[in-house]
Amino acid sequence: MKILILGSGQVGSTIAQNLAATPSNDVTVIDIDEKALQKINGRLDVQTVVGNGASPLTLERAGAADADLLLALTRNDETNIVACKVAADLFNIPGRIARVRSSEYIEYSNPKIEENENGSLSIFGITETISPEQLVTEQLAGLLNYTSALQVLNFADDKVRMVIVQARQGGLLVNREIADITQHLPENADCQICAIYRNNRLIVPMPQTVIIEGDEILFAAATDSVNTIMRELRPKEARTRRIMIAGGGNIGYRLAKQLESKYDIKIIEYNPRRAEWIAENLDNTLVLQGSATDETLLDDEYIDEIDVFCALTNDDENNIMSSLLAKNLGAKRVVTIVNRSSYVNLLEGNKIDIVVSPHLITIGSILAHIRRGDIVAVHPLRRGTAEAIEAVVHGDTSTSAIVGRRITDIKWPSGCHIAAIVRAETGEVVMGHHTETCIQDGDHIIFFVSRRRVLKELEKLIQVKMGFFG
């Protein structure tokens, strides 16, 4: 596959690295920054072209005439949008994915525009839109709906959720074997404990593995059973009521707009004009103009009574410092956006409870669009050492290596484990430990993958043979 990538920033270079690792991919990276391209050339087997990715001349020099996929991933929305339009009209590139940060393009509606999940962007020939701020807002909202959850991921139209929670004394399973969980769960509840993070080390558990206090437990369960499972791992806690958001940018505003009917929310915004605009556009949120690193302001606003403090500005250092200050002053949980990926593992699980990386979330969403074998979703997991993947399987015993076979009879790649299966026809959720389950055509399978290098083997395993297409 011939792939053009616009933008050599953190997202573009990481995607290029993933795609260049597959021998059948011919990857070209386009950017106006010649030095950045030289760095990529030094470590990746890709071609590079210096120039504006929205320019027809630049795209032509990069080989757009015979390209299969354009990934417009620059930091500039307009560059990405125009590039997709040029790719569609002049070069007829079949796949055109654009990274678009501004919600105005996606949310704008007009009777003249055919209804489309890409909103007004559909008129620019964009086949898929990646909106980092929308993805981050959705992940933050999921986290805040569960007291003490460290990560919450949705799969199969939200029929299954994968959750990370820290085990605490008082939880029924603490100091017990994982196999004991079935003794405490109601008859209609089930779960799959996929991994344990203990002292910063990933453990793939066995039924006889003992959970100890402080373990971070990754489990999958049907959505309506998640709260029940969490009670097995922690004593019952008061629900989240008070939230303070530092930063009234697009993410902070959208999060408050989505949650203000359910929680008591305060937003701290430094820019007076932006603070005034937010106050006019939110109904039940208290807007404060000032700095989230102002200790006096936090004290005056009773930071010690805040259940969750969210640092959501565009400045990593400001987010880190305000989070540490809020935690020190008594905030129960702190959630911090950090754009620099190298900071994530350094900070997560120390003084800061949850670190959210927009770049990692964006990369996961892009990979889900371009990986083969009906990959529906790809999520990097906490601490960045593993991934959760949702795939749809097709075919029968003659065209598929897994359809029509029991879980236990399939030779899965090392480090690849089934967390859950969702039946296409009935929506029934089956946990991965039911190894006698037979995989059916159309099943959504949620995998926990502890070793990323086996992803190519997994993709190959779930692909159908050519006979499937008749």
Side-chain angles (χ1 to χ4, degrees):
M1 181 186 289
K2 184 171 178 57
I3 303 167
L4 304 184
I5 299 176
L6 310 189
S8 62
Q10 193 166 8
V11 172
S13 60
T14 305
I15 293 297
Q17 183 177 351
N18 274 271
L19 294 177
T22 303
S24 59
N25 287 338
D26 177 7
V27 179
T28 301
V29 181
I30 303 169
D31 203 305
I32 56 174
D33 188 339
E34 189 172 358
K35 287 185 178 179
L37 290 177
Q38 286 173 353
K39 287 182 182 178
I40 287 179
N41 244 336
R43 61 188 182 87
L44 298 179
D45 183 19
V46 300
Q47 300 175 62
T48 56
V49 174
V50 180
N52 180 357
S55 159
L57 184 61
T58 302
L59 289 173
E60 187 174 58
R61 283 195 291 120
D66 58 350
D68 302 298
L69 177 64
L70 174 78
L71 298 173
L73 308 177
T74 75
R75 294 183 179 90
N76 185 280
D77 287 353
E78 286 69 31
T79 298
N80 296 338
I81 291 167
V82 172
C84 286
K85 181 65 172 173
V86 172
D89 291 356
L90 296 186
F91 299 106
N92 199 28
I93 298 177
R96 304 170 297 276
I97 299 177
R99 174 191 184 192
V100 180
R101 296 183 62 191
S102 175
S103 59
E104 293 178 358
Y105 288 112
I106 299 170
E107 295 173 358
Y108 177 76
S109 61
N110 188 300
K112 295 180 180 179
I113 301 173
E114 185 180 343
E115 282 194 26
N116 187 292
E117 63 180 7
N118 292 325
S120 61
L121 293 171
S122 59
I123 63 175
F124 293 99
I126 295 172
T127 55
E128 299 284 352
T129 304
I130 305 295
S131 173
E133 292 176 349
Q134 183 177 328
L135 294 169
V136 171
T137 302
E138 288 171 0
Q139 186 158 127
L140 289 169
L143 277 168
L144 295 174
N145 284 329
Y146 291 105
T147 304
S148 302
L150 299 172
Q151 188 169 11
V152 180
L153 304 171
N154 301 336
F155 298 95
D157 295 325
D158 204 19
K159 292 183 178 67
V160 171
R161 289 185 179 173
M162 195 173 273
V163 179
I164 300 181
V165 64
Q166 191 172 54
R168 289 293 188 197
Q169 200 63 42
L172 297 174
L173 261 186
V174 176
N175 297 324
R176 293 173 181 261
E177 294 183 357
I178 288 175
D180 290 346
I181 194 168
T182 54
Q183 299 175 19
H184 304 289
L185 292 178
E187 192 173 330
N188 59 345
D190 196 3
C191 78
Q192 176 77 28
I193 295 183
C194 305
I196 296 173
Y197 295 92
R198 181 177 295 168
N199 299 324
N200 295 326
R201 190 168 64 90
L202 172 64
I203 300 170
V204 177
M206 304 293 287
Q208 63 271 25
T209 302
V210 175
I211 293 173
I212 62 176
E213 184 177 14
D215 282 351
E216 290 181 10
I217 311 297
L218 168 66
F219 71 86
T223 298
D224 55 7
S225 298
V226 169
N227 280 320
T228 302
I229 309 303
M230 290 182 71
R231 285 197 294 272
E232 293 290 305
L233 299 166
R234 297 177 68 95
K236 190 173 181 180
E237 297 165 293
R239 71 177 184 88
T240 298
R241 290 177 51 232
R242 301 182 185 90
I243 298 172
M244 182 178 284
I245 297 173
N250 288 337
I251 293 175
Y253 167 72
R254 289 171 68 155
L255 184 65
K257 186 80 171 175
Q258 188 170 333
L259 300 179
E260 65 176 350
S261 61
K262 296 164 59 178
Y263 303 101
D264 297 328
I265 298 180
K266 298 178 181 180
I267 288 185
I268 301 175
E269 169 54 43
Y270 185 75
N271 185 303
R273 292 182 63 184
R274 178 67 178 177
E276 186 177 340
W277 183 89
I278 295 169
E280 290 172 355
N281 286 274
L282 293 176
D283 299 320
N284 302 312
T285 298
L286 176 63
V287 182
L288 307 164
Q289 191 274 312
S291 170
T293 56
D294 183 343
E295 186 173 347
T296 303
L297 175 60
L298 294 179
D299 263 335
D300 289 346
E301 293 302 325
Y302 305 103
I303 187 67
D304 57 326
E305 296 180 5
I306 294 295
D307 296 311
V308 186
F309 177 88
C310 301
L312 310 180
T313 75
N314 289 321
D315 186 294
D316 284 357
E317 284 72 21
N318 191 54
N319 287 343
I320 293 166
M321 293 309 296
S322 63
S323 294
L324 292 173
L325 181 60
K327 190 75 170 182
N328 194 50
L329 293 173
K332 294 179 181 64
R333 273 209 303 168
V334 293
V335 180
T336 308
I337 279 184
V338 174
N339 287 290
R340 198 172 302 180
S341 298
S342 58
Y343 283 4
V344 175
N345 291 342
L346 186 67
L347 296 166
E348 198 160 50
N350 295 312
K351 285 284 188 180
I352 297 175
D353 299 296
I354 303 169
V355 179
V356 175
S357 168
H359 285 149
L360 289 178
I361 294 170
T362 304
I363 288 163
S365 180
I366 294 168
L367 290 175
H369 286 295
I370 59 182
R371 279 184 172 154
R372 298 166 298 174
D374 280 326
I375 303 290
V376 178
V378 178
H379 295 288
L381 292 169
R382 184 170 165 85
R383 304 190 185 280
T385 56
E387 285 186 350
I389 295 174
E390 177 186 348
V392 182
V393 294
H394 296 293
D396 53 32
T397 53
S398 61
T399 59
S400 168
I402 62 176
V403 173
R405 295 167 174 83
R406 298 179 304 169
I407 293 174
T408 190
D409 294 334
I410 300 168
K411 187 178 180 181
W412 301 102
S414 176
C416 174
H417 310 271
I418 291 185
I421 296 173
V422 180
R423 297 294 193 204
E425 293 184 3
T426 63
E428 178 192 4
V429 177
V430 182
M431 291 297 115
H433 60 82
H434 297 289
T435 56
E436 296 300 310
T437 301
C438 192
I439 293 174
Q440 300 175 7
D441 176 47
D443 280 352
H444 285 245
I445 305 181
I446 296 93
F447 294 97
F448 167 73
V449 181
S450 62
R451 301 164 64 208
R452 285 182 176 174
R453 60 179 176 271
V454 306
L455 288 173
K456 295 185 191 67
E457 295 176 49
L458 179 60
E459 288 174 358
K460 187 176 180 181
L461 185 66
I462 62 179
Q463 280 181 325
V464 291
K465 298 173 185 174
M466 291 306 293
F468 175 76
F469 300 102

